[in-house]
Amino acid sequence: MDLSLSELATYLGAEIRGDGSARVDGVAPLSSAGSSDVTFIADPAYRKQLDSTAAAAVIVGTNLADDVASAALVVEDAYLAFAKTTQLFDRRPRQPEGVHPRAIVEDGVVLGAGVRIGPGAVIGRNTHIGDGTEVGAGCVIGSDCRIGRDCLLFANVTLYYRVSIGDRVRVQSGAVIGSDGFGFAPNKGKWERIAQLGNVRIGNNVEIGANTCIDRGALEDTVIEDDVILDNLIQIAHNVHVGQGAAMAGCVGIAGSTHIGKGCTLAGGVGIAGHLTLADGVHALGMTLITNSIDEPGVYASGTSHMPAKQWRRSAARFKQLDSIAKRLQKLEKSQEGNA
Amino acid sequence: MDLSLSELATYLGAEIRGDGSARVDGVAPLSSAGSSDVTFIADPAYRKQLDSTAAAAVIVGTNLADDVASAALVVEDAYLAFAKTTQLFDRRPRQPEGVHPRAIVEDGVVLGAGVRIGPGAVIGRNTHIGDGTEVGAGCVIGSDCRIGRDCLLFANVTLYYRVSIGDRVRVQSGAVIGSDGFGFAPNKGKWERIAQLGNVRIGNNVEIGANTCIDRGALEDTVIEDDVILDNLIQIAHNVHVGQGAAMAGCVGIAGSTHIGKGCTLAGGVGIAGHLTLADGVHALGMTLITNSIDEPGVYASGTSHMPAKQWRRSAARFKQLDSIAKRLQKLEKSQEGNA
Amino acid sequence: MDLSLSELATYLGAEIRGDGSARVDGVAPLSSAGSSDVTFIADPAYRKQLDSTAAAAVIVGTNLADDVASAALVVEDAYLAFAKTTQLFDRRPRQPEGVHPRAIVEDGVVLGAGVRIGPGAVIGRNTHIGDGTEVGAGCVIGSDCRIGRDCLLFANVTLYYRVSIGDRVRVQSGAVIGSDGFGFAPNKGKWERIAQLGNVRIGNNVEIGANTCIDRGALEDTVIEDDVILDNLIQIAHNVHVGQGAAMAGCVGIAGSTHIGKGCTLAGGVGIAGHLTLADGVHALGMTLITNSIDEPGVYASGTSHMPAKQWRRSAARFKQLDSIAKRLQKLEKSQEGNA
């Protein structure tokens, strides 16, 4: 991939400063960009690297444009323009068009135009796959699934039966969608299984990370709305509903029937109990434990952060005395008033 | 699936109130049930929905039976009866009987009657699979395994060699059983591997979630007793022993050689250190960190739950001063006594 | 496997006490070892079991050698010698040499001498695999990868394209290496994907656990240096750099662009925020949350450990009042001084 700054400026809707005929063939950080790379600056903290960068041009917002001595592509949102630029230089290999001779396509499957099915993939009975969708090697798609157009399932993804996925959805390897929700009724020291009769419905433009699990619903469906992005190793339990545009980082776990509002962001390792509701625009910091519904948008956190273990042991021990500490403090305050 | 209320009553051992000839073809929640659905009420909190439900009949315990105006199936335990009912309406597609032509069955494999092996599955040398067991597409079963009867391995499950599994065990996709335990001896800044010579032994009626990992033992075996249910993304380290009927929700991690008692329940994200023993009937709330053995049954917890981040930062900072706070409080109390 | 104590002593560089012609065919713990097993003692706490063990010989350090009544193999580091001994008795079945007829090897692949490729494995275009490396059944290796010699990929491992792996690297089942990093630019309530143009570079003697994920870099590479050991279900985000000899237990999560120093050890469930640097020799206890860089080697921790839930609820509630408690204590101290 190789294009001129003018072509890139047109693609980005950028104002160009410098020689538009200069050509770029890659994207790189300010510090390591070469003379044929385009780079970007979004965070003013990196401003000092502007002078030393060897990049052919810098993608920059109007706020920092005047700090750029070299050629520049001036845009409204430099980070967004950078994101769009990376997509031009993506050299991800694709499966060839069509069905690999070593793939298995069962009866009643309907494949759209330009579908790509990799070696060893299995497409179950009566499943429909939309135009331009690619299914990687070793994927197993259950029967009666609906997968939209221009989706990308990387290798070794598993979809159970009757899973529905929208358009332009990307699923990383090892993800499992439609597995049985964890539903059991206690029965004299054993567990009676609740058959999971619901399905999973995933909207458009959704991203699902590697080894992430999304369980099917018990009676009704588990739902992931449009524009949701999920990182790796996330657990989405049965009947969870994730609102449009929500984002979750790695290792998040959400228990059954919890509703996550639109635009919520959950940092890594956040855990949310079941049957809760998070309002739109709730943001949780890393490893936050959420045990009650949250009605107010805003930033939430829990726990404590790292400290030397020796000091931590003392604090952790005192934590167990906190109620007594608080009560004794109240007692002192009272007697103080008495003295006054 | 379609049956009469009388047939369902017989199946559940329920007392029927209303027209036993009415037919039902599904299960649904009180709020969304249609006229051909059976529904249930277990939690009195939903009592107010009883009047408005359109369900053909309500599965109800004796405690709430008189609140049901419509047809009812009266049982001792409504939630248990609901669980059994869902199994009647499960429409999970199955692999056809026999070995799929695109499966790979190595020498010395012994398959019971009615075994179903999906496309792309690999069954290793000398492995035995019991009557009626189904192995999904893309599963890889190592050599010398023993899998009981009426088990269900969904697609893309991996069993290593010499893994033993009882009867009626269900394993969700992406689960890995028998992987090497994490055992290494430090050796001058490097790590010398301890070959994991033990195996994994799993009892009857065990449920294993998607992408859950159960490591093989170092010298002796990792053991999961009968009736244990494990959710998704759980880590069971080498030589862990999980007692009969224990239940673990998603993202639980248990370090090496820890014993979990019978009937213990671990909520999501619980972490347990190695070489500990939990008594029978220990219950841990979400994201609890367990660093010592627990001798007394009961409910345990740790950490703190979510609060606004601004307020949280102050609390988290003070946590680091807790020992000093406690000591200063003691000092004040002493001087107080002095004054008295 | 069956060898004499003399042969084992030679292998370990041990001083032998007792009959060197005695033969052993297994390794077992002190308590359960039989007369043809070799056992070991590293922790003096087990000293009392020395008298009752039936083992043919005990691997022991010079510090405890005189406590051993039976035959002994005296070494400098008993635990290290034990580790080396287990490797002699490892009976892991291997794939036969060569490419299984049901494997898929694409054009331009270069296979070294003695390579073993299992059934259903897929090796992508132009990938090179070094001498003696084994690729398990169902593995999918992307195109243009470089895998060194004497590596072992267990079944159902996924490598994306352009991933580079050194020599003697072992990867457990379900691991995903080279998946897209979680990079997106916000765009009016949606997310614009940042194509992940970097790769993953893994050194020599690295161990990667089951269902562990290592994302490819955004612009530059994600790097795992030599001698790193990673347990199961670990998330390594894009552009993380893990230093030589670091060790991480199960369920650890490391956010993007964080650098982990050489020889760091992270216990289970540790979470580390993005763009941080941990010095060499940092050790974090289980479930520690690390939110800032750590410059000093040492042991760190956070959070609190388990307590009875009833008592915990009180402490957790008081945690939210901690800042007020501390301020009120200061006030009392001041007035105290006033009184003095």
Side-chain angles (χ1 to χ4, degrees), chain B residues 53-90:
Chain B
T53 188
V58 181
I59 296 168
V60 61
T62 46
N63 57 326
L64 296 173
D66 297 342
D67 297 309
V68 181
S70 59
L73 297 168
V74 184
V75 294
E76 191 184 311
D77 181 338
Y79 195 60
L80 177 59
F82 158 66
K84 290 176 173 169
T85 302
T86 59
Q87 296 170 20
L88 292 180
F89 295 101
D90 195 357

Side-chain angles (χ1 to χ4, degrees), chain B:
Chain B
M1 179 64 187
D2 168 289
L3 75 175
S4 71
L5 288 185
S6 310
E7 292 167 317
L8 183 53
T10 306
Y11 169 73
L12 295 175
E15 170 208 336
I16 187 158
R17 299 188 184 174
D19 171 11
S21 67
R23 301 191 74 77
V24 291
D25 60 9
V27 200
L30 277 166
S31 55
S32 59
S35 60
S36 64
D37 291 320
V38 60
T39 187
F40 77 105
I41 181 166
D43 179 348
Y46 293 96
R47 190 191 268 115
K48 57 181 143 348
Q49 294 184 15
L50 280 170
D51 306 330
S52 53
T53 188
V58 181
I59 296 168
V60 61
T62 46
N63 57 326
L64 296 173
D66 297 342
D67 297 309
V68 181
S70 59
L73 297 168
V74 184
V75 294
E76 191 184 311
D77 181 338
Y79 195 60
L80 177 59
F82 158 66
K84 290 176 173 169
T85 302
T86 59
Q87 296 170 20
L88 292 180
F89 295 101
D90 195 357
R91 297 183 298 116
R92 181 181 66 80
R94 306 197 62 181
Q95 296 291 340
E97 274 199 32
V99 177
H100 191 286
R102 299 287 287 274
I104 293 152
V105 176
E106 298 185 344
D107 298 346
V109 168
V110 177
L111 302 179
V115 164
R116 302 159 187 261
I117 310 289
V122 177
I123 315 296
R125 273 194 329 289
N126 305 324
T127 281
H128 293 207
I129 299 183
D131 297 352
T133 286
E134 175 172 349
V135 177
C139 287
V140 177
I141 313 299
S143 56
D144 300 297
C145 289
R146 292 292 177 271
I147 302 178
R149 55 191 305 160
D150 300 319
C151 292
L152 170 55
L153 279 59
F154 286 91
N156 285 331
V157 165
T158 305
L159 263 62
Y160 281 49
Y161 49 95
R162 294 198 287 275
V163 169
S164 151
I165 291 183
D167 299 331
R168 297 171 305 282
V169 171
R170 301 167 80 257
V171 187
Q172 303 288 328
S173 294
V176 176
I177 303 175
S179 40
D180 284 344
F182 195 63
F184 300 87
N187 185 13
K188 307 188 187 67
K190 302 188 171 196
W191 300 97
E192 186 75 31
R193 185 169 64 89
I194 297 168
Q196 302 293 295
L197 308 178
N199 300 320
V200 175
R201 281 184 285 125
I202 294 175
N204 301 320
N205 311 314
V206 170
E207 299 265 344
I208 297 171
N211 285 340
T212 280
C213 301
I214 303 176
D215 282 346
R216 66 195 312 109
L219 294 178
E220 297 172 315
D221 296 345
T222 303
V223 177
I224 311 289
E225 292 186 357
D226 295 348
D227 309 310
V228 168
I229 54 175
L230 304 178
D231 197 359
N232 300 344
L233 291 166
I234 289 174
Q235 156 67 354
I236 305 287
H238 52 181
N239 301 103
V240 165
H241 186 113
V242 181
Q244 185 273 334
M248 305 184 196
C251 309
V252 165
I254 303 182
S257 301
T258 282
H259 278 46
I260 307 295
K262 296 183 196 302
C264 288
T265 62
L266 308 178
V270 166
I272 307 185
H275 298 277
L276 304 184
T277 298
L278 269 56
D280 297 349
V282 165
H283 308 285
L285 302 185
M287 291 175 74
T288 296
L289 167 64
I290 298 179
T291 54
N292 299 94
S293 290
I294 301 181
D295 306 329
E296 289 299 314
V299 183
Y300 296 83
S302 76
T304 67
S305 61
H306 69 281
M307 55 202 284
K310 191 178 165 190
Q311 178 192 0
W312 168 77
R313 284 193 186 81
R314 288 194 294 259
S315 288
R318 296 298 190 179
F319 177 82
K320 302 186 177 185
Q321 308 165 0
L322 258 183
D323 194 49
S324 138
I325 287 172
K327 284 174 171 152
R328 287 155 51 203
L329 179 62
Q330 284 162 4
K331 185 151 167 263
L332 278 182
E333 288 172 325
K334 278 210 170 36
S335 70
Q336 197 72 1
E337 291 158 17
N339 298 353

